Structures are given as C-alpha cells and as structure tokens.
Amino acid sequence: MVSFPIDWRADPFKSRSWMHHFSSLRWLNSSYSYLLTLSILTSFYKFHCEKKIKNPYYNEVRGDHTAAVRLGVLISIEKEYGAHADSSIKNIVRRLIVQEIKNLQSDKMYRSGHNHGLMVDLALLNLVLDCPEYQSRVNLELVLERSAKTLDAMWHASGLTKEHSVSYQEYNLPLTIEYFEILEKLNVESLASVNLKNVVTESRKFLGYALKGSGEYFPLGDSFRLPNENILNKVFGQGEAKSARELLMPYSKEEGVYCNKNFFIFRKTVKGRKVHFAATCCWDSHNHKQNDDLSFCLEVDGVTIFDDPGYTEFLPWESVKRLQSEVSHSTITASRVQWGDVRFPNGKSSVLNSQYDALGFSLLMSMERYDGFKVVREVQFNGDILTVADQVVGQGFYDLKFNRKLVLGPEIVINSGGLGTFEIEDINGRKIAELQMEEESPVVSSVQLSESEFVLADRKLVKSTQVIISENIPVVDGSLESDGSFVFPSLKLKLARSF
C-alpha cells in the first residue's frame, strides 16, 4: 500500500510540488520489480478509482498538469509490460488510462486559455496518435475546439504571449510547436487563428532582446532569470548544444528597440556606455499576471541599477503572492484602495508610445488598475540622465496617499545624501550614479530606504535588495494641475562620468 506522508489538505502550498511529483507517477522506476510496480499501480487505482479518496492532483483543475504527465507515464508502462506473461499490470494500467481519459476531457479539469489547458490537450492528442486502440474514447472534436480557443487566448496575432512573461514566451513555444506537429501527423486542420511562424519569429526576437549581457533575462512577469537552454536548443538548435546568446542571435546582441503595447526594451551603446532598459505595462488575461504594470529595469555596462524582484514557486504561498503584487514592484500604490483583481482584465494597461534615437529614448505607459483614475508614466533617457515622470489622472484620489517604489539591483550600494538624494555605488565602491527626487517638493512627505525580497538566478534562493519608497500626498494645496491631475515629483538618475 502506498501512503501519503504529507497531508496536502492541511498545507496545500507546502506540499504541492511533492504532490505533483507523487501523483504524476513519473517517479516509477524501470528497475522496480514487476510485483512492486503492480503493487504501486493497484494501490493507486484503489485509492483514486475505487475508494475515490479526495486528491486535487488526481481529477481537479489543480492537477491538470499532473494528470497530463501521468497519462504519458501510464502509456509507457503499458508498452513496457505489454508482452509480459502475466497480464495483471497491463490490465490495471488500461483501467487507469480509461479513467484518465475521462478526467482530462472533463470541464472541471480544464483551464481554457492557459498553457496547462494546452498540455492536457497535447496529452490526449498524443494518445490518439500513438495508441489508436484508445481513439474511440477521445472526443477529438471537443479537444480540437477547446485547444484552438486556448491557443488563441495564449498568443497575440504577432506571436507575443498573452501571459505577461518572458519565461512563458519561452515555455509555451515548444508546446505550441508540438501541437501543430501533432495535428499535421493526424492530418487534421487547426481551428486556431494562431500563426506558428509568427510565434517562432516573435519568440526569438522578444527573448533575444530580453537577454542581458550576463546571460540572464530581465525577469518581467512570472519569469525566471535563467533561460531554459534545453527549450531553446530544441526549438532553435540544429543538433549542437549552444548557449542562449547563440541561439537567439541576432536579437541577443543587436542594438535597437523591441516594442509593442506590452513591452519596451532598449539596447544601445550611448556615449560609450552599453545601456539596456526594459519595461512592461500589460494586462491581457489572468494567466501568470503580476501587478508589475509600469515597472522597469535598467542595466548600464553590466551593472544592474533597477531590477525586478523576480518570481519563484519555491516560497510559501503568501510570499509568492507578495512578489506578484504591486507592493513588490517599481510602480505606484495608493493607500486604502487595491489594484483591480487580475482575474478580470480590462486591457487598459499599455505602452502608449515610444521613440528612440542615437542618444536615448522616450517611453509613455498608462495603467488603469485603480477604479476611477489612471496612472501615466513617462520615462526618458538622454545620454546620461534617466527621468521618470508620473501623473494621476481622473477622480477620487484626492484623499489618498501614494507610494512610489523603486527596486534596486542587489549588487549595488545605496547611500542617502539627504533631501531625497541618493548616491549609488557598485560593490567595489565606485560611484555609479546619483538619484534625486525633485527638491523641496510640497507633495513628498517622506523618502526612505527599505528592503524587499529578491529572487536569485537559482530560484530556490531569495535574498534582500534595497528599495526606495517615497510618499506623495495630492491633497496639499497647489499640488494639482489645472485639469485636476496630480503630477508626482520627478525622479532623475544621473550616471557617473565613468565606472
């Protein structure tokens, strides 16, 4: 009898990685004896199919990815023991597969528009392709229709992800390629409007521009800092293992701008300095959505000055949610009111406009995550000065306090110089830049240094990084413009002459 050493009902987050691994059955080892394998599978069948003991990783939406993996494992076991003299394993596996097919076609186990939904459909399509004896049990029309809707909800027409993330542009790429390859083998037409060529081309460009000189991605959205070179080699490689930088050429090295309504990335040598800037402002769905609208990162000559705290699934749930929330990003938060629930996107977070030349760029972003007013951010870089200007437009914000947060890279040192001025040094004590709020502003009641969680390249590791938070109060006399809008004190980062 296989027992569960962790009570997933008592602590669902702490045990979810373990439960996914356990329930997927991918740990079953080919070196196990026939009788041990039979015992495990029989116990699994009795627990889930006969006793029907509740396990959300078996037939509920939380276990969609788990079930997709498990179906593949069961098919492999059936093939391995298909010619065995004793039919016991083959019989129990067949019963498990039949039940798995029912689960994976159930509405309660399907996340439409989500990469997990696509994984479920891929599991069923692979079953139809490789195991025709089960084909009659799969409603192919259902799978083709819902997978098409999911694909169209995952990708913009340009091939950009709607999942707000560098990593999920990468992660969803091979899944989408596999989907179209299976349909071709099954000789069926795709019902999706997604163009695979656009997805592949846009992925290479977006990922290439998001790749920093260090070999890490800007961690915008639910993104990991390290590229998944296994995925990149599978998609872009030609048999020889290469680095992400090589695979994403020419975009991983070329100078220029990547821009759309979701992301803006600028990479250029300006006055001898290698400047790499990235910003995001989008809200297309609830999938992998972080409240990082208006956030930006800046790297100069390999030194990361502004950064994003990053994403990990290896923390307690409350910490994961905090990293995803607006309080953890370089954006604007207001007292007593919350950003709109990510489950109900209004599509009103967007990059509005951008321009660039040999000396820098200008960028305009707008987000309407608050009810009744919007926040507009303009970022300009001109040679050696980065300016951030923020403005609140609308009604109902006059009795609120606004916090503006800047997340700094963990390898720099910040020293306060008073009057909203900060000196920024690298770890060797060299001056990198000076950051200054607008002096003697009547609407800044406090500017302070604090600390925040920061996910490292090894996403199992978290450290602290410094943040700067300023409190701004629109109700002060004279702080409002003639049109009723509120303009925050400007932020100016002036780079040192050399470092």
Side-chain angles (χ1 to χ4, degrees):
M1 179 70 179
V2 178
S3 62
F4 292 92
I6 297 178
D7 185 353
W8 66 88
R9 291 162 292 193
D11 192 350
F13 176 82
K14 186 176 181 180
S15 61
R16 66 178 183 173
S17 294
W18 186 91
M19 283 301 304
H20 165 70
H21 182 71
F22 185 89
S23 298
S24 71
L25 297 180
R26 61 186 178 187
W27 48 271
L28 280 175
N29 196 307
S30 58
S31 65
Y32 289 175
S33 69
Y34 182 90
L35 291 178
L36 177 58
T37 302
L38 176 60
S39 175
I40 291 170
L41 292 173
T42 302
S43 174
F44 191 89
Y45 182 83
K46 288 181 178 179
F47 186 93
H48 295 98
C49 303
E50 291 183 354
K51 296 182 180 179
K52 299 184 186 300
I53 299 174
K54 183 177 175 62
N55 175 5
Y57 289 84
Y58 180 69
N59 59 0
E60 295 182 13
V61 69
R62 192 188 306 174
D64 50 5
H65 180 205
T66 307
V69 173
R70 186 169 58 241
L71 180 60
V73 172
L74 292 171
I75 292 170
S76 296
I77 294 173
E78 183 183 33
K79 290 180 178 179
E80 181 180 354
Y81 291 102
H84 199 278
D86 180 29
S87 62
S88 300
I89 283 184
K90 185 168 61 175
N91 290 337
I92 196 72
V93 166
R94 282 181 175 175
R95 280 184 280 174
L96 284 167
I97 289 175
V98 168
Q99 187 59 51
E100 211 68 73
I101 294 170
K102 293 179 182 178
N103 291 342
L104 292 175
Q105 293 181 101
S106 169
D107 289 342
K108 71 176 184 178
M109 206 169 184
Y110 191 79
R111 282 189 262 195
S112 182
H114 195 285
N115 59 75
H116 280 203
L118 183 60
M119 283 188 267
V120 165
D121 289 328
L122 284 172
L124 291 168
L125 290 171
N126 273 307
L127 179 74
V128 171
L129 182 65
D130 297 333
C131 305
E133 65 270 26
Y134 293 110
Q135 184 172 348
S136 62
R137 296 181 180 273
V138 177
N139 184 341
L140 190 59
E141 182 179 357
L142 166 71
V143 174
L144 291 175
E145 287 182 354
R146 74 181 188 181
S147 61
K149 292 178 181 177
T150 286
L151 272 178
D152 287 341
M154 287 171 58
W155 300 105
H156 289 283
S158 65
L160 177 70
T161 179
K162 291 182 181 179
E163 299 199 31
H164 318 97
S165 164
V166 177
S167 285
Y168 279 91
Q169 180 82 30
E170 180 185 76
Y171 186 72
N172 291 339
L173 176 59
L175 297 177
T176 303
I177 292 173
E178 181 185 359
Y179 177 79
F180 281 96
E181 288 177 346
I182 292 176
L183 293 196
E184 184 176 355
K185 291 175 182 177
L186 291 172
N187 196 28
V188 295
E189 291 287 332
S190 170
L191 302 177
S193 62
V194 170
N195 183 295
L196 180 59
K197 182 179 179 181
N198 288 354
V199 171
V200 175
T201 301
E202 188 73 8
S203 295
R204 194 174 214 154
K205 188 173 184 180
F206 178 35
L207 297 176
Y209 267 96
L211 190 68
K212 302 195 295 180
S214 63
E216 297 180 5
Y217 286 136
F218 283 118
L220 303 176
D222 272 3
S223 292
F224 310 129
R225 298 184 189 278
L226 292 180
N228 189 321
E229 292 187 344
N230 290 330
I231 288 178
L232 297 179
N233 273 287
K234 180 180 179 181
V235 175
F236 299 117
Q238 297 178 340
E240 180 184 354
K242 296 181 179 180
S243 68
R245 186 169 306 284
E246 294 174 295
L247 294 163
L248 297 175
M249 288 284 286
Y251 306 112
S252 56
K253 287 190 175 181
E254 77 172 19
E255 296 197 342
V257 166
Y258 173 86
C259 185
N260 46 51
K261 291 184 177 181
N262 294 50
F263 300 96
F264 174 87
I265 305 176
F266 174 93
R267 183 200 284 129
K268 198 167 182 65
T269 302
V270 181
K271 292 186 176 182
R273 289 191 176 97
K274 294 181 179 179
V275 178
H276 202 177
F277 174 93
T280 184
C281 195
C282 52
W283 191 23
D284 294 312
S285 69
H286 70 280
N287 296 330
H288 299 288
K289 173 60 184 159
Q290 290 202 3
N291 286 349
D292 58 356
D293 315 38
L294 307 178
S295 292
F296 60 90
C297 304
L298 175 66
E299 179 185 82
V300 180
D301 284 344
V303 178
T304 300
I305 299 175
F306 299 114
D307 208 341
D308 189 89
Y311 166 73
T312 179
E313 70 277 40
F314 294 108
L315 288 177
W317 183 239
E318 288 305 314
S319 294
V320 172
K321 296 299 288 183
R322 184 169 58 251
L323 281 169
Q324 293 176 329
S325 78
E326 62 272 20
V327 300
S328 294
H329 298 284
S330 295
T331 190
I332 306 292
T333 57
S335 63
R336 305 195 316 277
V337 292
Q338 300 293 319
W339 283 34
D341 192 319
V342 296
R343 293 174 297 175
F344 308 105
N346 60 19
K348 293 182 179 179
S349 287
S350 177
V351 174
L352 299 179
N353 186 32
S354 65
Q355 298 179 0
Y356 75 101
D357 57 25
L359 290 178
F361 64 86
S362 64
L363 168 68
L364 188 65
M365 302 180 285
S366 175
M367 69 94 161
E368 296 185 39
R369 299 296 303 279
Y370 290 111
D371 186 24
F373 58 90
K374 64 182 177 180
V375 182
V376 179
R377 168 164 286 177
E378 183 176 10
V379 184
Q380 293 185 332
F381 180 75
N382 188 2
D384 57 5
I385 298 178
L386 182 83
T387 304
V388 180
D390 295 317
Q391 184 176 17
V392 181
V393 180
Q395 301 291 328
F397 61 82
Y398 307 115
D399 60 345
L400 302 177
K401 292 181 181 180
F402 288 94
N403 282 337
R404 178 166 50 181
K405 186 172 188 174
L406 296 174
V407 180
L408 301 157
E411 303 303 325
I412 60 176
V413 179
I414 314 298
N415 299 304
S416 176
L419 294 177
T421 300
F422 299 87
E423 287 194 353
I424 301 176
E425 299 177 346
D426 67 9
I427 55 176
N428 297 315
R430 294 180 303 171
K431 184 176 180 180
I432 300 296
E434 183 178 277
L435 177 64
Q436 186 172 16
M437 311 291 184
E438 189 174 288
E439 289 189 22
E440 299 179 357
S441 170
V443 296
V444 179
S445 62
S446 67
V447 180
Q448 61 180 357
L449 276 172
S450 185
E451 291 188 343
S452 184
E453 288 178 316
F454 185 91
V455 181
L456 301 182
D458 179 350
R459 61 184 189 269
K460 294 180 182 178
L461 302 178
V462 177
K463 64 183 293 185
S464 293
T465 193
Q466 289 180 293
V467 297
I468 298 176
I469 302 174
S470 63
E471 187 177 78
N472 305 272
I473 308 174
V475 296
V476 175
D477 291 342
S479 67
L480 301 182
E481 300 296 295
S482 59
D483 61 358
S485 64
F486 168 64
V487 178
F488 289 76
S490 62
L491 298 173
K492 288 189 178 180
L493 179 85
K494 186 173 183 179
L495 298 175
R497 290 186 177 181
S498 62
F499 55 89

